[in-house]
Amino acid sequence: MRKLSRLVPGGIALALVAAACAPNASQDSLRPAGPYAEKIDNLFKPVFWIATLVFFVVEGLLLYLVVRYRHRNGRQGIPPQVHGNQRLEIAWTILPALILVGVAVPTVSTIYDLAAQPTGRVLNVSVIGHQWWWEFDYPDLNVNTANELVIPVGQPVYLSLCAAGAGYDKQPAPNDCQDVSEIIGDSVIHSFWVPRLGGKQDVVPGRINHLLIQADRAGVYPGQCAEFCGLSHAYMRFSVVAQPRDEFDAWVGGQQADAATPPGGSLAATGLNEFLNGQCIACHAIQGTDAAAIGGPNLTHLMSRTCFRGCTMPISAANLKRWLRNPQAVEAGSWMRLNPPLTEGQIKSLVAYLMTLT
Amino acid sequence: MASVSLLAEGGRGGRLRRPTATTGFWSWITTVDHKRIGILYGFTAFLFFLIGGIEALLIRLQLARPDGTVLSAEAYNEFFTMHGITMIFLVVMPLSAAFFNYLIPLQIGARDVAFPRLNAFTYWAFLAGGLFIYSSFFLGGAPNAGWFGYAPLSTVEPGNNMLFYALGLLMTGIASTASAVNLSVTIINMRAPGMTMFRMPVFIWMGLVVQLLLVFALPIITVGLFQMLFDRRFGTHFFDPAAGGDPVLWQHMFWLFGHPEVYILVLPAMGIVSEVLPVFARKPLFGYQFVVFSGIAIGFIGFGVWAHHMFAVGLGPVANTAFAVSTMIIAVPTGVKIFNWLGTLWKGDIRFTTPMLFAIGFIAQFVVGGLSGVTHAVVPADYQQTDTYYIVAHFHYVLVGGAIFGLFSGIYYWWPKMFGRMLDERLGKIQFWSMAIGFNLTFGPMHILGLQGMPRRIQSYPASLGLDFWNLVATAGAFVIAASVLLFMVIAVRSFRRPKDAAADPWDARTLEWMTSSPPPAHNFDEIPIVRSLDELWHRKYAETETGVVVSVPAGGSGTGEGHGGGEGVGHGIHLPGPSYYPFVASVGLPLIGYGVIFQWWMAVVGVVVLLAGLYGWAMEPSAE
């Protein structure tokens, strides 16, 4: 029994090591996929092994002591009353201090390394945290999208992070976070985190924070808001889509284009009419139409994305209909408040129109 | 005194006469006996422990599988918020207060605390604050922005939820501040003759450090809570960036309190372990002065590490570096304590009683929490770890594997003293093992979950994250802990089914509280002991020959026999503070003021009147005859 107690934490440490290699965790911070996440990993791994070593030394010592000096039947008398040993105590004060100095040096250098401004070709993206979705604005490319951050492979992406609130739609569009400081409204704190590409950075109302990420391989890297931000915090997710350079350039070209106008008389044309004359236009923008509000996600190329609602639902006609019927039923507390609710007919035509926004 | 007795004898004197009941309901309402107040604290904290535990089980049920549907988002947010508030402010703090209240006078050889009625008031104010916060469930919704209450979420969310948080914590803060002043004064001024500071038990030292931490840390959160209250209720803009306020200000205020709070939560358990290990290893604490000074060092440095909770906020590399270094520095005195405890076991004659098992479990598990804590000080690693389940794992290893295990050790150790009854050792060991297994099953996997990308405070997670397995394991572990706590309740209730069987000194212990009967008489000691050394009681029982061999001092030498205190008819001439209604009356005013601030101002007026009436009666009542 006694041995078992010491084995429990040891077993857990082993399980931790084993599980660190689990291949199916898509947000695994232990599988970095870019240089910034790697810098963190290269620091964490040695610290982890030092900690593991200390763990086994201390727990081993504890185990040894409780076994070696356990009370044995028949033992008489009282052990000698040792009150301490100054030399020993000074030693075990200095030894951990030295280990910590060894840990502190690379820590500090990595702090500064990660905070350094990038040089060379850098993609600038403003990340704007809303309750509960992410807006991605590319100020140099004139692209605005949501929930999916598309980046080129192998290039540092310099993120400027800021928060926007419910009062956001009353203000001019931000080209970068500088303007957003005007339109904080009731915004709350979020935290941008895509574990395989970098650490977290909080998104704080009234401040502009920065974070560097980079992906070295093409792929989809899930991330999510890591600071509790209210009712649907768990559903404030996003994806970083890393594409080869040429694909990325093509994507930018597509995003810069205006939305196509549906042919007259089609169901989609009815939907466009509904969009521009109904409630949608109050919060959403569709480039190439009169819709230019910025409270909600920009829908110009909605169908070029794979997910919506904080990237927790795949985009499909069925899911869009479900959403339009009652956003609050899908997402607790959603700021998309339809009053009055849309009719089935309106929903049908609106979804038909949205499906044309490629 | 003359004017007081005039009042008592005059026409209005009847209203001001002090209560006299020594048994029954009213004796508990009016008691000012530190031992009874300690028991009230402990019992109440345990009830809140059950409530907070049920909240934890609901959280784990929700997270057992991906896309859980047990709780709505609103309910989940309320439960995780209330779980944190409950376990910190309504369980670990008052449970520690229970031990401090009960034991400080007994361990320093005093008859009571310095301000007995203030002591009673702190309990009632704590209870009022706890009930006030929990009443929110019936009055529109419980606090829902996390125990850390980050602005602006906590100030812009609709509803009164976070008003209950701000006001409730102000009430428990009043209780803790008053209690901290009271106990500090007690320790500094009321020690038995001969008990110099360096003859105080380590538990008393840790108690003193904790009380001073409270005295200096609580005012900070008090100011922060008032700012939050004013932002919400009176339209100020302390934390509103749109009007020039700063949300990060709240974080600084909160963590400048919140980090010392961590030590407020864990130092009492460290003190308990430092008492239990020597008794059952039958050796004095190894390096008493080192342990004391490391505790003091932790107290000081604890005020200089708060921004390590904020590494991802964007304070910049200079601030992050400074707080990384200070955080690593505080690991040193903590490590010293661990080694000193190991040194205490070295060459001992270790008896695996239940309190000893919990104390050893504390060390084994606290080491894990300490090591994961060091990885947080590695700032870039913390960029990945902060706000994930890795952090949840870390602080549960400190606060459950550490503080709660330490407190359970204390419960098993001092239960015979408090109630005169031994707890069942066989069942106690089963309880320890089930708790240790359940605890490690629950919180061990959370290290993995956090590193694999599971953030905290999420109501659900998609299956695509690959987090199913360890979440299921953690939920299973939580129910093992629940079973273990149920077993403890069985053990506790069973102890009352049998006649009192605890001797004055059943563990062959070392400190003064074991010199008096179990349970001690109201006046604690028939004769205040004169202290000649550290571990006074041990030195009255044993002596060391010149070669270091320990021999018993013959009974009746300078030692103490059983029933030394508390015999019938003894102690009548001893002046004890009289019971009083007024601490209770005054505390009733606090929640009324709280409801007034939230709902209708006239309620606050009533509350103020009640509070002032309580204070007036308190000031004017005659001293007990």
Side-chain angles (χ1 to χ4, degrees), chain B residues 194-556:
Chain B
M195 181 172 277
T196 59
M197 293 297 267
F198 280 95
R199 286 181 192 164
M200 297 196 315
V202 174
F203 180 72
I204 299 296
W205 264 113
M206 295 306 114
L208 183 59
V209 173
V210 167
Q211 307 316 319
L212 294 176
L213 281 171
L214 282 165
V215 167
F216 290 104
L218 280 166
I220 305 166
I221 189 71
T222 303
V223 172
L225 290 168
F226 269 112
Q227 289 174 318
M228 176 187 285
L229 180 65
F230 278 39
D231 266 16
R232 286 206 71 108
R233 198 67 180 86
F234 305 115
T236 56
H237 299 284
F238 290 108
F239 307 125
D240 176 7
D246 186 357
V248 179
L249 173 64
W250 166 263
Q251 299 187 18
H252 283 298
M253 307 279 289
F254 184 82
W255 290 117
L256 190 46
F257 150 79
H259 202 82
E261 171 73 11
V262 173
Y263 298 105
I264 288 165
L265 297 173
V266 79
L267 282 172
M270 289 179 163
I272 290 171
V273 168
S274 301
E275 296 296 313
V276 170
L277 290 173
V279 168
F280 297 107
R282 302 176 71 74
K283 277 181 65 212
L285 186 66
F286 193 92
Y288 166 87
Q289 298 207 353
F290 253 70
V291 174
V292 168
F293 277 113
S294 66
I296 295 170
I298 288 172
F300 275 104
I301 308 169
F303 277 98
V305 298
W306 78 91
H308 68 210
H309 297 267
M310 302 165 62
F311 283 146
V313 169
L315 301 180
V318 176
N320 282 0
T321 299
F323 283 97
V325 171
S326 67
T327 303
M328 288 183 189
I329 289 172
I330 206 169
V332 174
T334 314
V336 165
K337 278 191 187 308
I338 304 255
F339 287 119
N340 276 295
W341 290 325
L342 295 182
T344 308
L345 298 174
W346 175 63
K347 289 197 173 171
D349 182 20
I350 301 171
R351 287 151 206 255
F352 295 100
T353 59
T354 310
M356 188 62 164
L357 288 176
F358 273 102
I360 294 171
F362 168 98
I363 301 175
Q365 288 160 175
F366 188 82
V367 166
V368 178
L371 289 172
S372 59
V374 169
T375 68
H376 305 323
V378 179
V379 177
D382 190 64
Y383 292 156
Q384 289 284 16
Q385 295 158 2
T386 187
D387 277 320
T388 69
Y389 266 81
Y390 188 85
I391 302 281
V392 178
H394 158 71
F395 70 75
H396 281 94
Y397 266 84
V398 174
L399 293 182
V400 182
I404 293 285
F405 270 68
L407 289 165
F408 264 106
S409 172
I411 291 172
Y412 278 94
Y413 180 59
W414 280 299
W415 189 275
K417 181 54 62 185
M418 292 177 175
F419 301 106
R421 293 167 165 88
M422 306 300 288
L423 288 175
D424 188 317
E425 274 289 308
R426 193 179 54 87
L427 290 179
K429 283 172 188 159
I430 296 173
Q431 199 241 322
F432 165 75
W433 286 107
S434 55
M435 187 126 167
I437 290 167
F439 165 76
N440 285 292
L441 267 183
T442 308
F443 298 104
M446 289 186 188
H447 293 106
I448 305 167
L449 287 170
L451 293 174
Q452 289 189 342
M454 180 164 172
R456 299 170 71 176
R457 303 170 183 133
I458 50 169
Q459 179 228 354
S460 78
Y461 54 93
S464 62
L465 294 189
L467 303 170
D468 314 12
F469 176 71
W470 290 117
N471 269 303
L472 192 61
V473 172
T475 300
F479 281 87
V480 178
I481 299 178
S484 173
V485 173
L486 281 178
L487 177 59
F488 170 74
M489 290 163 69
V490 171
I491 296 169
V493 170
R494 273 172 49 116
S495 78
F496 287 105
R497 292 261 177 101
R498 284 168 310 176
K500 291 188 181 180
D501 59 349
D505 181 18
W507 306 118
D508 194 12
R510 313 177 75 90
T511 41
L512 293 185
E513 75 272 27
W514 303 101
M515 281 178 61
T516 186
S517 60
S518 301
H523 54 278
N524 289 356
F525 301 95
D526 291 343
E527 209 178 309
I528 295 295
I530 293 170
V531 178
R532 295 181 197 86
S533 59
L534 177 66
D535 290 339
E536 173 68 17
L537 175 57
W538 192 89
H539 287 283
R540 290 185 185 212
K541 293 186 289 190
Y542 300 99
E544 285 172 89
T545 64
E546 287 187 5
T547 51
V549 177
V550 178
V551 292
S552 287
V553 175

Side-chain angles (χ1 to χ4, degrees), chain A residues 295-318:
Chain A
N298 183 316
L299 300 178
T300 309
H301 299 286
L302 177 67
M303 301 310 290
S304 73
R305 317 202 276 257
T306 60
C307 56
F308 73 115
R309 188 227 183 186
C311 213
T312 54
M313 287 172 85
I315 292 187
S316 68

